[in-house]
Amino acid sequence: MPLHPSVEERLRRLAPDQRAAATAPPGPVLCVAPAGSGKTTTLVARIAWLVATGIPPGRVCAVTFNKRAADELKERVTKALEPLGGEGPAAEDDREGVRVRTFHALGREILVDAGQSVDGLVDRGALLRELDGDLSAADMRRLDDGFSRLKLDLAVDTPALAREVEEAEARGDPAGPIVRAFLRYESALAARGGLDFDDLVRRAISALESDPGLLSRWRRRCSELLVDEVQDVDRSQLRLALLLAAPDNRIFLVGDDDQTIYAWRLADVRRVLDLAALLPGLRRVDLVTNYRCPPVVVERSVRLVEHNRERFAKRIRAGPASTGRLFLLPDPGDDVARARRLLAEWPAPPGQTRAVLARTNAELAPYAAVALERGLAYRAADDGLLLDDDAIDDLLDAVSTQGAPGGAALSLLERLVVARGTAGHDHSRAAASLLAWAPRHRSAAELRAAIAEARTLRAAIRRDDAPLHLATAHATKGLEFDHVAVVGMDDGRFPSRRTLDESDDPFRAMEEERRLAYVAWTRARRSLTLVYDPDAPSPFLVEAFSPGELAEAAGQRGARHSQ
């Protein structure tokens, strides 16, 4: 049948590889979409093509990883389908439109259809604090990750686990702290008749598997199932998708194994690499062009990630019209000195965006502090400064109480880093944050006044529309900026030595760190700057650049400093 003219035009605008993916025959399809390759454009074209070829919109469901991505996809799908009669993504109670959902929203909708209450959705963090008010932020994250692993990755049966623990402890074999905390948490959750975020997917699977009528309805509503960012799914999310797609398996999965960076959220690159074993007849279509990044950035980022063993063999090239530059910026100074030099020397063309990306939030603190010094508006979900944290006030009180005449504020805070660090991770981070401010102040009183002033200034210049973005590499996946500086590309910092040391599988942790660097580098549209210690460069720089290139960069930087 002839396609609607708007869809014909949309397909004509696609590159051949994008068009091949968008119009792939029915059946299981994996679209491998590297950074900057037009993944969302291809996904929207696929949905428009399905509807234009006669698939009822109410039989099409697109599932993505987070709300931000779902909102963007929903908006673009709506616009794409308007010429076809306005059959865009519909409200939750409308069964006739294309569904665009996160996995959790889809799970919630399935549970409501099954007649199960979802009104008692409990905030896990709030309940954990209620059960144990002394939990540090680090303990909270550890429990949150552990609980999700038990629920989603291991899919434990809570009553069965409770029986096993009871029997084991009767034999004198106590359960681990995370398992004990989990059972206590689940008991409190059950007493409230509630469920948490992870339960939306977990219970939706159970409802579908136990109710053939429910499963039939949802398989009809997901006759054409599209899964965005498939590399990010956990075991339960993939199980839900495959359950809905069976038995016809008209499922379109799009993502990139090289951008699997959320192991702590239970993503696993092997899950993507092994899809063909789960979906017989899986057709793989590769997008091959990075249209976002300058050619030199594409070349070096690909050279880096090709050191990984757990990845698809693939070809990635730069777009034909791409221009831009890559700068190696060796800087042996401390973090504050580095931040001052970068933000002073880094061009800020009007109307263009800049991003400072770091491995951790704590590494962003000097850049936020310098932005405040220079009055540079910036945006950040977490700038690492902790200025509003109660731990900051605790330490300021301790400085004042113990007395710190003259220039003693810095030495006293240095002692507090050790003393408070043994008492809890939160105080250690707060002390490290204060150390970014202490050197410029002669007394505790001056330091307290400076912090108060910084809080006021920060409230004025930290805003969502600022052209300077401070973020971790994890937080910017899916985003792009005109100019990107990846800071702390030092041995031991990126890759994170702590992450490698704490990992049960350092080899696989190293590969994920390498993928994380690849993601950070490929956020750049016009220029990429890599800031590092020339005496201890990250092994990733050694992999992506020759010794001569690193030596030349160090020589040029030294010459500029001597002038």
mmCIF file of all heavy atoms in Angstrom, residues 389-404 412-413 416 420 427 430 434 444-445 447-449 451 455:
data_model
loop_
_atom_site.group_PDB
_atom_site.id
_atom_site.type_symbol
_atom_site.label_atom_id
_atom_site.label_comp_id
_atom_site.label_asym_id
_atom_site.label_seq_id
_atom_site.Cartn_x
_atom_site.Cartn_y
_atom_site.Cartn_z
ATOM 1 N N ASP A 389 24.034 21.409 52.935
ATOM 2 C CA ASP A 389 24.015 20.208 53.761
ATOM 3 C C ASP A 389 24.212 20.579 55.228
ATOM 4 O O ASP A 389 25.042 21.422 55.569
ATOM 5 C CB ASP A 389 25.119 19.247 53.296
ATOM 6 C CG ASP A 389 24.909 17.842 53.814
ATOM 7 O OD1 ASP A 389 24.934 17.668 55.044
ATOM 8 O OD2 ASP A 389 24.724 16.930 52.994
ATOM 9 N N ASP A 390 23.461 19.929 56.112
ATOM 10 C CA ASP A 390 23.611 20.182 57.545
ATOM 11 C C ASP A 390 25.030 19.869 58.026
ATOM 12 O O ASP A 390 25.506 20.467 59.003
ATOM 13 C CB ASP A 390 22.614 19.337 58.342
ATOM 14 C CG ASP A 390 21.178 19.811 58.150
ATOM 15 O OD1 ASP A 390 20.994 20.959 57.701
ATOM 16 O OD2 ASP A 390 20.253 19.024 58.442
ATOM 17 N N ALA A 391 25.698 18.931 57.347
ATOM 18 C CA ALA A 391 27.053 18.574 57.762
ATOM 19 C C ALA A 391 28.007 19.757 57.641
ATOM 20 O O ALA A 391 28.963 19.873 58.418
ATOM 21 C CB ALA A 391 27.569 17.401 56.923
ATOM 22 N N ILE A 392 27.756 20.652 56.684
ATOM 23 C CA ILE A 392 28.579 21.853 56.540
ATOM 24 C C ILE A 392 28.470 22.702 57.817
ATOM 25 O O ILE A 392 29.479 23.161 58.375
ATOM 26 C CB ILE A 392 28.141 22.678 55.312
ATOM 27 C CG1 ILE A 392 28.543 21.965 54.017
ATOM 28 C CG2 ILE A 392 28.705 24.084 55.366
ATOM 29 C CD1 ILE A 392 29.992 22.119 53.663
ATOM 30 N N ASP A 393 27.243 22.908 58.284
ATOM 31 C CA ASP A 393 27.043 23.713 59.493
ATOM 32 C C ASP A 393 27.636 23.024 60.719
ATOM 33 O O ASP A 393 28.169 23.686 61.609
ATOM 34 C CB ASP A 393 25.555 23.995 59.696
ATOM 35 C CG ASP A 393 25.004 24.887 58.597
ATOM 36 O OD1 ASP A 393 25.545 25.978 58.394
ATOM 37 O OD2 ASP A 393 24.033 24.473 57.929
ATOM 38 N N ASP A 394 27.563 21.686 60.753
ATOM 39 C CA ASP A 394 28.186 20.959 61.867
ATOM 40 C C ASP A 394 29.682 21.248 61.925
ATOM 41 O O ASP A 394 30.240 21.493 62.996
ATOM 42 C CB ASP A 394 27.967 19.450 61.709
ATOM 43 C CG ASP A 394 26.515 19.041 61.907
ATOM 44 O OD1 ASP A 394 25.745 19.863 62.446
ATOM 45 O OD2 ASP A 394 26.166 17.912 61.526
ATOM 46 N N LEU A 395 30.331 21.203 60.767
ATOM 47 C CA LEU A 395 31.770 21.420 60.733
ATOM 48 C C LEU A 395 32.129 22.871 61.018
ATOM 49 O O LEU A 395 33.130 23.154 61.690
ATOM 50 C CB LEU A 395 32.324 20.984 59.372
ATOM 51 C CG LEU A 395 32.294 19.462 59.119
ATOM 52 C CD1 LEU A 395 32.773 19.148 57.717
ATOM 53 C CD2 LEU A 395 33.139 18.718 60.138
ATOM 54 N N LEU A 396 31.319 23.802 60.505
ATOM 55 C CA LEU A 396 31.559 25.213 60.810
ATOM 56 C C LEU A 396 31.428 25.465 62.312
ATOM 57 O O LEU A 396 32.211 26.219 62.908
ATOM 58 C CB LEU A 396 30.585 26.092 60.033
ATOM 59 C CG LEU A 396 30.847 26.217 58.524
ATOM 60 C CD1 LEU A 396 29.685 26.936 57.844
ATOM 61 C CD2 LEU A 396 32.148 26.949 58.259
ATOM 62 N N ASP A 397 30.442 24.822 62.932
ATOM 63 C CA ASP A 397 30.288 24.953 64.384
ATOM 64 C C ASP A 397 31.507 24.385 65.108
ATOM 65 O O ASP A 397 31.985 24.946 66.102
ATOM 66 C CB ASP A 397 29.024 24.231 64.858
ATOM 67 C CG ASP A 397 27.757 24.943 64.409
ATOM 68 O OD1 ASP A 397 27.844 26.128 64.049
ATOM 69 O OD2 ASP A 397 26.685 24.305 64.410
ATOM 70 N N ALA A 398 32.011 23.256 64.596
ATOM 71 C CA ALA A 398 33.173 22.644 65.235
ATOM 72 C C ALA A 398 34.395 23.533 65.109
ATOM 73 O O ALA A 398 35.186 23.669 66.053
ATOM 74 C CB ALA A 398 33.453 21.279 64.598
ATOM 75 N N VAL A 399 34.578 24.160 63.950
ATOM 76 C CA VAL A 399 35.699 25.081 63.756
ATOM 77 C C VAL A 399 35.605 26.233 64.745
ATOM 78 O O VAL A 399 36.582 26.615 65.398
ATOM 79 C CB VAL A 399 35.724 25.615 62.305
ATOM 80 C CG1 VAL A 399 36.746 26.737 62.171
ATOM 81 C CG2 VAL A 399 36.056 24.491 61.336
ATOM 82 N N SER A 400 34.403 26.813 64.865
ATOM 83 C CA SER A 400 34.211 27.964 65.759
ATOM 84 C C SER A 400 34.404 27.570 67.212
ATOM 85 O O SER A 400 35.014 28.295 68.007
ATOM 86 C CB SER A 400 32.813 28.554 65.557
ATOM 87 O OG SER A 400 32.645 28.978 64.218
ATOM 88 N N THR A 401 33.878 26.405 67.600
ATOM 89 C CA THR A 401 33.952 25.961 68.987
ATOM 90 C C THR A 401 35.390 25.700 69.407
ATOM 91 O O THR A 401 35.829 26.084 70.497
ATOM 92 C CB THR A 401 33.122 24.673 69.181
ATOM 93 O OG1 THR A 401 31.773 24.947 68.830
ATOM 94 C CG2 THR A 401 33.203 24.196 70.620
ATOM 95 N N GLN A 402 36.160 25.057 68.531
ATOM 96 C CA GLN A 402 37.530 24.706 68.876
ATOM 97 C C GLN A 402 38.466 25.902 68.748
ATOM 98 O O GLN A 402 39.592 25.863 69.238
ATOM 99 C CB GLN A 402 38.018 23.558 67.989
ATOM 100 C CG GLN A 402 37.218 22.280 68.209
ATOM 101 C CD GLN A 402 37.785 21.116 67.414
ATOM 102 O OE1 GLN A 402 38.987 21.032 67.199
ATOM 103 N NE2 GLN A 402 36.913 20.219 66.985
ATOM 104 N N GLY A 403 37.984 26.941 68.062
ATOM 105 C CA GLY A 403 38.808 28.132 67.919
ATOM 106 C C GLY A 403 39.865 27.933 66.867
ATOM 107 O O GLY A 403 40.556 26.921 66.844
ATOM 108 N N ALA A 404 39.990 28.894 65.992
ATOM 109 C CA ALA A 404 40.969 28.766 64.917
ATOM 110 C C ALA A 404 41.520 30.139 64.600
ATOM 111 O O ALA A 404 41.124 30.779 63.643
ATOM 112 C CB ALA A 404 40.309 28.158 63.684
ATOM 113 N N LEU A 412 42.902 23.185 60.760
ATOM 114 C CA LEU A 412 41.867 22.569 61.585
ATOM 115 C C LEU A 412 40.913 21.754 60.714
ATOM 116 O O LEU A 412 40.551 20.626 61.045
ATOM 117 C CB LEU A 412 41.097 23.640 62.345
ATOM 118 C CG LEU A 412 39.951 23.147 63.237
ATOM 119 C CD1 LEU A 412 40.443 22.106 64.223
ATOM 120 C CD2 LEU A 412 39.315 24.309 63.965
ATOM 121 N N LEU A 413 40.537 22.312 59.571
ATOM 122 C CA LEU A 413 39.640 21.576 58.680
ATOM 123 C C LEU A 413 40.307 20.323 58.135
ATOM 124 O O LEU A 413 39.666 19.288 57.953
ATOM 125 C CB LEU A 413 39.188 22.479 57.526
ATOM 126 C CG LEU A 413 38.060 23.446 57.875
ATOM 127 C CD1 LEU A 413 37.867 24.448 56.749
ATOM 128 C CD2 LEU A 413 36.771 22.697 58.138
ATOM 129 N N LEU A 416 39.815 17.816 60.585
ATOM 130 C CA LEU A 416 38.420 17.387 60.623
ATOM 131 C C LEU A 416 38.092 16.402 59.508
ATOM 132 O O LEU A 416 37.226 15.544 59.663
ATOM 133 C CB LEU A 416 37.497 18.598 60.525
ATOM 134 C CG LEU A 416 37.365 19.437 61.799
ATOM 135 C CD1 LEU A 416 36.610 20.720 61.508
ATOM 136 C CD2 LEU A 416 36.671 18.643 62.887
ATOM 137 N N ARG A 420 36.225 13.515 61.100
ATOM 138 C CA ARG A 420 34.826 13.351 60.726
ATOM 139 C C ARG A 420 34.657 12.240 59.699
ATOM 140 O O ARG A 420 33.604 11.627 59.619
ATOM 141 C CB ARG A 420 34.277 14.665 60.162
ATOM 142 C CG ARG A 420 34.268 15.793 61.176
ATOM 143 C CD ARG A 420 33.244 15.556 62.273
ATOM 144 N NE ARG A 420 33.146 16.700 63.151
ATOM 145 C CZ ARG A 420 32.105 16.961 63.926
ATOM 146 N NH1 ARG A 420 31.075 16.153 63.935
ATOM 147 N NH2 ARG A 420 32.087 18.020 64.714
ATOM 148 N N HIS A 427 29.957 13.609 56.490
ATOM 149 C CA HIS A 427 30.821 14.622 57.078
ATOM 150 C C HIS A 427 32.153 14.700 56.342
ATOM 151 O O HIS A 427 32.747 15.777 56.227
ATOM 152 C CB HIS A 427 31.046 14.329 58.569
ATOM 153 C CG HIS A 427 29.927 14.799 59.442
ATOM 154 N ND1 HIS A 427 28.855 13.994 59.749
ATOM 155 C CD2 HIS A 427 29.692 15.989 60.034
ATOM 156 C CE1 HIS A 427 28.007 14.672 60.529
ATOM 157 N NE2 HIS A 427 28.491 15.879 60.706
ATOM 158 N N ALA A 430 31.539 16.763 53.325
ATOM 159 C CA ALA A 430 31.333 18.161 53.707
ATOM 160 C C ALA A 430 32.662 18.830 54.021
ATOM 161 O O ALA A 430 32.915 19.975 53.634
ATOM 162 C CB ALA A 430 30.397 18.239 54.905
ATOM 163 N N LEU A 434 34.415 22.048 52.227
ATOM 164 C CA LEU A 434 34.879 23.251 52.917
ATOM 165 C C LEU A 434 36.344 23.557 52.602
ATOM 166 O O LEU A 434 36.755 24.718 52.541
ATOM 167 C CB LEU A 434 34.702 23.089 54.425
ATOM 168 C CG LEU A 434 33.300 23.352 54.977
ATOM 169 C CD1 LEU A 434 33.290 23.114 56.481
ATOM 170 C CD2 LEU A 434 32.837 24.762 54.673
ATOM 171 N N ALA A 444 38.061 31.221 61.068
ATOM 172 C CA ALA A 444 36.802 30.494 60.980
ATOM 173 C C ALA A 444 35.643 31.452 60.720
ATOM 174 O O ALA A 444 34.703 31.132 59.992
ATOM 175 C CB ALA A 444 36.564 29.698 62.259
ATOM 176 N N ALA A 445 35.707 32.641 61.314
ATOM 177 C CA ALA A 445 34.633 33.623 61.113
ATOM 178 C C ALA A 445 34.568 34.059 59.657
ATOM 179 O O ALA A 445 33.484 34.191 59.078
ATOM 180 C CB ALA A 445 34.861 34.825 62.024
ATOM 181 N N LEU A 447 35.599 32.345 57.140
ATOM 182 C CA LEU A 447 35.129 31.190 56.367
ATOM 183 C C LEU A 447 33.613 31.065 56.458
ATOM 184 O O LEU A 447 32.929 30.851 55.448
ATOM 185 C CB LEU A 447 35.801 29.917 56.883
ATOM 186 C CG LEU A 447 35.396 28.605 56.203
ATOM 187 C CD1 LEU A 447 35.652 28.670 54.704
ATOM 188 C CD2 LEU A 447 36.140 27.426 56.828
ATOM 189 N N ARG A 448 33.060 31.221 57.655
ATOM 190 C CA ARG A 448 31.608 31.147 57.817
ATOM 191 C C ARG A 448 30.912 32.245 57.011
ATOM 192 O O ARG A 448 29.897 31.996 56.349
ATOM 193 C CB ARG A 448 31.235 31.267 59.298
ATOM 194 C CG ARG A 448 29.734 31.107 59.560
ATOM 195 C CD ARG A 448 29.417 31.318 61.026
ATOM 196 N NE ARG A 448 29.858 30.234 61.864
ATOM 197 C CZ ARG A 448 29.168 29.110 62.066
ATOM 198 N NH1 ARG A 448 28.007 28.931 61.443
ATOM 199 N NH2 ARG A 448 29.621 28.179 62.859
ATOM 200 N N ALA A 449 31.471 33.450 57.032
ATOM 201 C CA ALA A 449 30.883 34.548 56.263
ATOM 202 C C ALA A 449 30.952 34.265 54.767
ATOM 203 O O ALA A 449 30.016 34.558 54.018
ATOM 204 C CB ALA A 449 31.593 35.855 56.587
ATOM 205 N N ILE A 451 30.982 31.322 53.315
ATOM 206 C CA ILE A 451 30.000 30.286 52.989
ATOM 207 C C ILE A 451 28.603 30.893 52.903
ATOM 208 O O ILE A 451 27.820 30.579 51.998
ATOM 209 C CB ILE A 451 30.040 29.159 54.037
ATOM 210 C CG1 ILE A 451 31.383 28.426 53.979
ATOM 211 C CG2 ILE A 451 28.894 28.185 53.816
ATOM 212 C CD1 ILE A 451 31.658 27.720 52.684
ATOM 213 N N ARG A 455 26.308 30.902 49.554
ATOM 214 C CA ARG A 455 24.951 30.358 49.494
ATOM 215 C C ARG A 455 23.997 31.339 48.819
ATOM 216 O O ARG A 455 23.169 30.954 47.993
ATOM 217 C CB ARG A 455 24.463 30.012 50.894
ATOM 218 C CG ARG A 455 25.069 28.756 51.466
ATOM 219 C CD ARG A 455 24.737 28.587 52.944
ATOM 220 N NE ARG A 455 25.082 27.242 53.412
ATOM 221 C CZ ARG A 455 25.168 26.891 54.689
ATOM 222 N NH1 ARG A 455 24.936 27.792 55.636
ATOM 223 N NH2 ARG A 455 25.484 25.650 55.029
#
